[in-house]
């Protein structure tokens, strides 16, 4: 038995189960719980929120952690160890290394952008983000990434941003918001806004992320032109906008 094949199967299994847990709760918070909590008065919120949110957020953040860790391991095994990162005779170059760094360190650029005034407008943020996504995909193409590789790396970029949002922005803000509601105090509006903004961003990124995950099944119709990936990101974001 090939140990790498065994590990790949195991990590895929954990990745999918953890991802279902994480994204399912993301949609619960965005499409169900937010509207439900808005109907509660102060006394009801004081009873419900401290009981419901910590439980849901526990599974939410650990689902995010296990999804990211197993996804990263799968990229290492399937693409790097498997040698399917590049087209034809292309190999590792300075540009390729830069694009890998972009994939996993994009939060250092994304986070300050989110704090800018224009980012409070969801449509303006989406427009700027779409241009940046197109530039990143073009960068993968210039670096010589194969179809599956540039699709999965964009997915890894989205997944890394989403996991960072959960652990560095949403969960720290929610802990303070939950404590305030439990103690009968008004929640800090800035923290509420930050958690809500990043949660919406994660919802938008989640749909094209799933498209990236099924990259091996989309090669035949979509590998002819890297622009298709940019189109599918737009389709995914349009679908989320419609759902909201």
């Amino acid at each position: 038995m090939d140990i790498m094949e065994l590990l790949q199967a195991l990590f895929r299994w954990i990745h999918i189960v953890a991802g279902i847990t994480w994204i399912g709760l993301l949609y619960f918070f965005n499409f169900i719980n937010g509207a439900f909590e808005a109907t509660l008065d102060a006394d009801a919120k004081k009873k419900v929120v401290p009981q419901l949110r910590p439980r849901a957020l526990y599974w939410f953040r650990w689902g995010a952690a296990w999804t990211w860790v197993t996804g990263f391991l799968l990229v290492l095994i399937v693409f790097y160890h498997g040698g399917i990162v590049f087209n034809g005779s292309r190999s590792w170059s300075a540009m390729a290394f830069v694009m890998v760094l972009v994939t996993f360190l994009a939060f250092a650029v994304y986070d300050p952008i989110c704090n800018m005034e224009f980012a409070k407008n969801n449509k303006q943020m989406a427009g700027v983000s779409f241009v940046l996504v197109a530039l990143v995909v073009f960068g993968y193409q210039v670096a010589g990434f194969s179809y599956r590789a540039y699709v999965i790396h964009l997915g890894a970029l989205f997944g890394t941003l989403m996991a960072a949002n959960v652990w560095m922005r949403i969960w720290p803000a929610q802990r303070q918001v939950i404590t305030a509601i439990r103690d009968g105090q008004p929640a800090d509006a800035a923290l509420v806004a930050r958690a809500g903004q990043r949660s919406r961003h994660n919802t938008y990124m989640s749909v094209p992320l799933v498209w990236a995950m099924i990259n091996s099944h989309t090669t035949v119709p979509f590998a002819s032109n890297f622009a298709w990936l940019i189109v599918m990101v737009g389709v995914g974001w349009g679908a989320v906008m419609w759902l909201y």
Side-chain angles (χ1 to χ4, degrees), residues 26-202:
L26 175 67
Y27 293 167
F28 166 74
F29 283 128
N30 278 268
F31 299 128
I32 300 171
N33 192 60
F36 165 70
E37 286 190 5
T39 67
L40 302 178
D41 59 28
D43 288 338
K45 282 185 178 180
K46 190 174 180 180
K47 294 177 181 177
V48 173
V49 170
Q51 293 297 320
L52 174 64
R53 282 198 207 173
R55 288 177 168 85
L57 286 166
Y58 174 86
W59 290 93
F60 177 69
R61 68 182 186 274
W62 285 108
W66 280 101
T67 303
W68 188 89
V69 169
T70 52
F72 180 73
L73 291 171
L74 284 168
V75 170
L76 294 180
I77 293 173
V78 176
F79 290 87
Y80 300 162
H81 181 269
I84 60 171
V85 176
F86 300 104
N87 281 317
S89 61
R90 295 290 293 270
S91 60
W92 287 101
S93 63
M95 183 64 178
F97 282 112
V98 166
M99 293 313 300
V100 171
L101 291 176
V102 167
T103 299
F104 294 106
L105 299 179
F107 191 78
V109 175
Y110 161 82
D111 192 54
I113 290 176
C114 290
N115 295 327
M116 295 179 181
E117 187 65 26
F118 83 89
K120 294 178 182 179
N121 183 305
N122 202 47
K123 290 183 179 179
Q124 291 180 4
M125 181 64 183
V128 171
S129 299
F130 191 75
V131 172
L132 293 175
V133 165
L135 291 174
V136 168
V137 174
F138 180 70
Y140 292 141
Q141 187 75 9
V142 172
F145 282 25
S146 66
Y147 169 77
R148 288 189 62 192
Y150 69 71
V151 173
I152 202 63
H153 276 79
L154 184 66
L157 186 152
F158 285 154
T160 301
L161 292 181
M162 291 169 64
N165 273 340
V166 169
W167 280 93
M168 298 174 67
R169 296 295 176 258
I170 297 173
W171 171 234
Q174 285 288 357
R175 278 191 302 179
Q176 297 183 58
V177 170
I178 292 167
T179 299
I181 293 174
R182 181 198 65 196
D183 296 342
Q185 302 296 322
D188 187 326
L191 291 176
V192 173
R194 175 185 292 175
Q197 178 200 49
R198 301 309 176 90
S199 187
R200 286 191 297 275
H201 290 180
N202 278 11

Side-chain angles (χ1 to χ4, degrees), residues 215-234:
N215 61 84
S216 64
H217 303 286
T218 63
T219 303
V220 173
F222 294 102
S224 60
N225 193 320
F226 72 93
W228 277 114
L229 178 57
I230 302 170
V231 170
M232 296 313 295
V233 170

